[in-house]
């Protein structure tokens, strides 16, 4: 049983500023947070819960206020915790939401329902991510994963005792949906910080999850295809991070990682066939632009992963030129990205048909694949076009900042092509000049990025040295 959303906010939200921010969240923030796919969580269930739970209501108002400033490209949102814009309105409501979550309930109950705490964690993560405080965002992700893991473990053990959180008999959001959201957040965390002691993939061992390990012959919907890709992407990335060495690869490291690669490649091949099966059967369902955009985005991520998984571990560690073999595939990803962007353009008003405001979503979108193309494809036309697409509109997708990512990609191109003369094709960028093991950490507050990479110093060097630098936007 799930509560139906209320259509009135008058009884729960007072004050002009509060109503304005709530309205902005409902009309602008929620649709953007849903990203390229349909989302009951952002478009219906979350709004419903905000009418009944103060912690969620305050968090929604805070995020709506912050997002309005984000769309205006107000750089003050990246500043320190002292927020004096609009009297500190966004931060004040964010602090109120946290206070309602951690303080005792007013009705004397000792336990809070787990779905409310998890919804709050998603909103807190969104708030901190939007303003570039990734460490704080990661803490909220870890809190949500801890709650889900404990709930699943209790379910397995049939243990109903918990001092603080209890499953709701009438949850605002089913736990399965929240599991999906935190799996996607966990994947981003794995990309951002590498190996994590506790990831949501471990909780899947506790009970049957909505994310299914089995891949059908053909998916029944876009959402099923998306969930399957996200589940297996998270599982594979966790295994890679678990066995990734901190230093040089040993023979056993390479052997284990090669097994993980081959297993992941086989899984992705099955997923690709299941998606094509769905596309072949769907027919009229895929005529609307949103469905086409979702399929194109899924194919972008699938093609990018296919390239990465097609190069064996030993070859990837030894020679970056192996990526040159996949130039046509990366060019195809670029074409898909163009199509997605074209279908995503929203006019600011009736007098402007092309300009886009800054957009934000928690989910992985086009930035990550475009960054991979710019960094691994040495064809000068393709990599520069990928950078232009990243710069085509201010876009933020979880931890990926499009403008900062484009600046990092430009720096990679400059380092690799500097001093080489005219570069007309991949062959003009020798292996010794190419960067490898590139790792980036975005710092939105200072509009800068910390990048580390490996590179040979000259054609006569055979050892790759490790470098690090700050890149300012």
């Amino acid at each position: 049983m799930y509560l139906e959303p209320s259509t009135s906010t008058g009884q729960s939200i007072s004050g002009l500023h509060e109503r304005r921010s709530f309205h902005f969240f409902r009309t602008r923030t929620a649709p953007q947070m849903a990203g390229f796919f349909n989302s009951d969580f952002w478009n219906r269930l979350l709004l419903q819960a905000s009418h009944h739970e103060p912690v969620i209501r305050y968090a929604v108002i805070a995020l709506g206020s912050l997002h309005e400033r984000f769309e205006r490209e107000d750089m003050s949102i990246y500043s320190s915790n002292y927020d004096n814009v609009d009297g500190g309105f966004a931060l004040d409501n964010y602090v109120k939401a946290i206070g309602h979550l951690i303080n005792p309930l007013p009705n004397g109950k000792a336990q809070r329902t787990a779905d409310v705490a998890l919804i709050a964690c998603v909103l807190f993560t969104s708030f901190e991510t939007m303003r570039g405080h990734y460490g704080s965002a990661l803490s909220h992700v870890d809190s949500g994963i801890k709650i889900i893991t404990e709930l699943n473990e209790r379910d397995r053990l049939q243990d109903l005792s918990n001092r603080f959180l209890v499953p709701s008999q009438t949850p605002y959001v089913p736990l399965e949906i929240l599991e999906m959201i935190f799996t996607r957040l966990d994947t981003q965390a794995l990309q951002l910080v590498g190996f994590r002691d506790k990831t949501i993939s471990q909780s899947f061992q506790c009970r049957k999850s909505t994310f299914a390990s089995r891949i059908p012959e053909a998916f029944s919907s876009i959402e099923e295809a998306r969930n399957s890709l996200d589940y297996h992407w998270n599982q594979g990335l966790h295994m890679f991070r678990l066995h990734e060495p901190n230093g040089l690869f040993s023979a056993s490291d390479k052997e284990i990682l090669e097994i993980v690669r081959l297993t992941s490649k086989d899984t992705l091949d099955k997923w690709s066939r299941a998606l094509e099966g769905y596309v072949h059967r769907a027919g009229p369902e895929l005529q609307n632009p949103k469905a086409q955009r979702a399929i194109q985005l899924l194919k972008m991520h699938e093609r990018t992963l296919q390239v990465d998984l097609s190069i064996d571990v030993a070859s990837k560690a030894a020679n970056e030129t192996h990526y040159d073999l996949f130039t046509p595939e990366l060019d195809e990803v670029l074409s898909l990205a163009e199509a997605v962007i074209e279908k995503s353009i929203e006019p600011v008003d009736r007098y402007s048909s092309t300009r886009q405001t800054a957009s934000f979503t928690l989910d992985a979108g086009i930035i990550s694949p475009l960054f991979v193309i710019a960094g691994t494809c040495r064809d000068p036309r393709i990599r520069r076009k990928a950078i232009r697409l990243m710069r085509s509109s201010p876009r933020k997708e979880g931890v990926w900042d499009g403008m900062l990512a484009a600046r990092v990609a430009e720096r990679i191109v400059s380092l690799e092509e500097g001093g080489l003369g005219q570069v007309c094709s991949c062959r003009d960028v020798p292996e010794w000049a190419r960067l490898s093991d590139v790792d980036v950490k975005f710092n939105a507050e200072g509009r800068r990025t910390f990048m580390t990479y490996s590179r040979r110093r000259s054609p006569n060097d055979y050892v790759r040295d490790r470098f690090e630098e700050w890149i300012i936007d």
Side-chain angles (χ1 to χ4, degrees):
M1 172 178 157
Y2 303 106
L3 299 173
E4 288 298 317
S6 168
T7 57
S8 172
T9 63
Q11 295 181 350
S12 57
I13 301 176
S14 61
L16 181 61
H17 205 159
E18 284 80 2
R19 289 197 297 271
R20 174 189 174 93
S21 295
F22 186 90
H23 177 75
F24 190 90
F25 179 92
R26 182 173 60 83
T27 58
R28 293 291 300 172
T29 309
Q32 279 194 31
M33 297 297 283
F36 297 94
F37 302 90
N38 294 321
S39 173
D40 270 353
F41 175 81
W42 290 106
N43 294 326
R44 183 173 67 90
L45 301 175
L46 172 62
L47 293 169
Q48 155 193 313
S50 70
H51 296 295
H52 302 277
E53 300 292 339
V55 57
I56 299 174
R57 185 161 59 250
Y58 282 123
V60 161
I61 291 170
L63 190 56
S65 175
L66 188 74
H67 187 215
E68 185 173 9
R69 288 164 56 189
F70 175 86
E71 284 205 347
R72 295 200 306 259
E73 299 183 44
D74 179 353
M75 300 302 293
S76 69
I77 69 171
Y78 301 117
S79 63
S80 62
N81 283 330
Y82 181 70
D83 180 352
N84 59 6
V85 177
D86 294 329
F89 181 78
L91 191 60
D92 182 54
N93 278 274
Y94 175 58
V95 171
K96 285 180 181 178
I98 293 176
H100 272 271
L101 184 64
I102 64 178
N103 291 332
L105 293 173
N107 55 14
K109 293 182 180 178
Q111 295 173 312
R112 186 179 297 278
T113 56
D115 63 315
V116 171
L118 289 168
I119 295 169
C121 284
V122 173
L123 290 169
F124 296 163
T125 300
S126 303
F127 189 92
E128 296 290 9
T129 302
M130 186 178 289
R131 64 184 190 147
H133 293 200
Y134 301 124
S136 299
L138 188 58
S139 295
H140 292 306
V141 173
D142 287 340
S143 295
I145 290 174
K146 182 179 179 182
I147 292 170
I148 290 174
T149 302
E150 290 178 353
L151 288 174
N152 287 338
E153 183 67 14
R154 286 171 51 205
D155 185 47
R156 184 179 71 85
L157 299 175
Q158 297 184 340
D159 179 9
L160 301 180
S161 63
N162 189 298
R163 186 177 177 184
F164 299 109
L165 296 173
V166 293
S168 173
Q169 298 302 309
T170 56
Y172 298 108
V173 181
L175 181 60
E176 290 79 8
I177 291 179
L178 291 164
E179 263 191 338
M180 297 176 194
I181 293 171
F182 277 96
T183 295
R184 294 173 185 126
L185 293 173
D186 183 51
T187 298
Q188 290 198 37
L190 284 164
Q191 292 175 310
L192 184 66
V193 301
F195 176 70
R196 286 153 54 73
D197 291 333
K198 193 86 172 172
T199 68
I200 200 167
S201 63
Q202 294 164 312
S203 79
F204 291 132
Q205 302 167 7
C206 301
R207 70 177 182 85
K208 184 179 179 181
S209 169
T210 300
F211 284 118
S213 59
R214 178 185 170 275
I215 298 175
E217 289 187 6
F219 292 118
S220 60
S221 66
I222 293 175
E223 195 64 24
E224 184 185 17
R226 180 199 185 193
N227 290 344
S228 177
L229 183 63
D230 288 341
Y231 170 84
H232 289 290
W233 188 2
N234 180 268
Q235 294 279 297
L237 189 57
H238 174 68
M239 292 301 294
F240 273 111
R241 290 290 188 257
L242 181 64
H243 297 290
E244 227 172 25
N246 293 322
L248 296 174
F249 283 89
S250 66
S252 60
D253 290 331
K254 291 179 181 178
E255 184 177 344
I256 294 172
L257 287 172
E258 183 62 11
I259 292 172
V260 173
R261 182 190 72 85
L262 291 171
T263 303
S264 299
K265 179 71 166 62
D266 181 62
T267 299
L268 188 60
D269 289 340
K270 291 177 182 176
W271 184 92
S272 301
R273 291 192 293 271
L275 180 67
E276 290 306 316
Y278 166 72
V279 171
H280 180 72
R281 297 178 185 180
E285 296 176 31
L286 299 182
Q287 294 304 308
N288 74 81
K290 187 168 185 177
Q292 292 172 3
R293 185 179 63 179
I295 291 293
Q296 287 163 343
L297 183 67
L298 289 173
K299 287 184 176 180
M300 276 187 70
H301 286 284
E302 181 266 336
R303 300 289 194 277
T304 308
L305 288 169
Q306 284 282 12
V307 170
D308 194 54
L309 293 172
S310 295
I311 305 172
D312 66 82
V313 173
S315 297
K316 189 183 298 183
N319 196 326
E320 281 284 310
T321 60
H322 288 284
Y323 283 104
D324 297 352
L325 300 172
F326 300 94
T327 299
E329 288 81 356
L330 294 175
D331 197 14
E332 181 186 356
V333 175
L334 202 60
S335 298
L336 289 168
E338 283 188 289
V340 169
I341 291 172
E342 183 180 349
K343 290 183 175 67
S344 303
I345 292 177
E346 295 181 7
V348 174
D349 53 48
R350 61 178 177 169
Y351 301 106
S352 173
S353 60
T354 57
R355 180 180 175 271
Q356 283 186 281
T357 56
S359 64
F360 176 83
T361 178
L362 268 188
D363 289 341
I366 66 170
I367 299 173
S368 176
L370 287 175
F371 182 79
V372 170
I373 292 172
T376 60
C377 181
R378 276 71 181 194
D379 182 286
R381 178 191 65 83
I382 293 175
R383 70 186 333 187
R384 283 168 174 77
K385 190 171 183 178
I387 292 171
R388 284 199 302 273
L389 290 177
M390 281 189 277
R391 285 200 175 278
S392 63
S393 63
R395 183 188 301 271
K396 196 169 186 180
E397 299 166 350
V399 300
W400 287 94
D401 184 307
M403 295 301 177
L404 286 178
R407 181 68 190 91
V408 174
E410 287 169 344
R411 177 58 176 160
I412 293 173
V413 173
S414 174
L415 287 167
E416 291 190 340
E417 297 184 3
L420 296 180
Q422 187 174 9
V423 175
C424 300
S425 70
C426 299
R427 293 187 298 273
D428 296 325
V429 184
E431 203 283 329
W432 70 264
R434 302 187 183 200
L435 310 190
S436 63
D437 305 315
V438 176
D439 185 51
V440 296
K441 299 289 184 292
F442 296 113
N443 183 321
E445 182 175 346
R447 299 302 296 168
R448 58 182 186 167
T449 307
F450 185 69
M451 179 173 74
T452 57
Y453 58 91
S454 299
R455 188 191 187 189
R456 290 160 59 184
R457 293 181 181 270
S458 72
N460 300 320
D461 288 326
Y462 295 95
V463 176
R464 286 184 170 268
D465 294 323
R466 195 70 177 161
F467 299 87
E468 57 184 43
E469 62 180 85
W470 283 101
I471 299 172
I472 310 299
D473 185 27

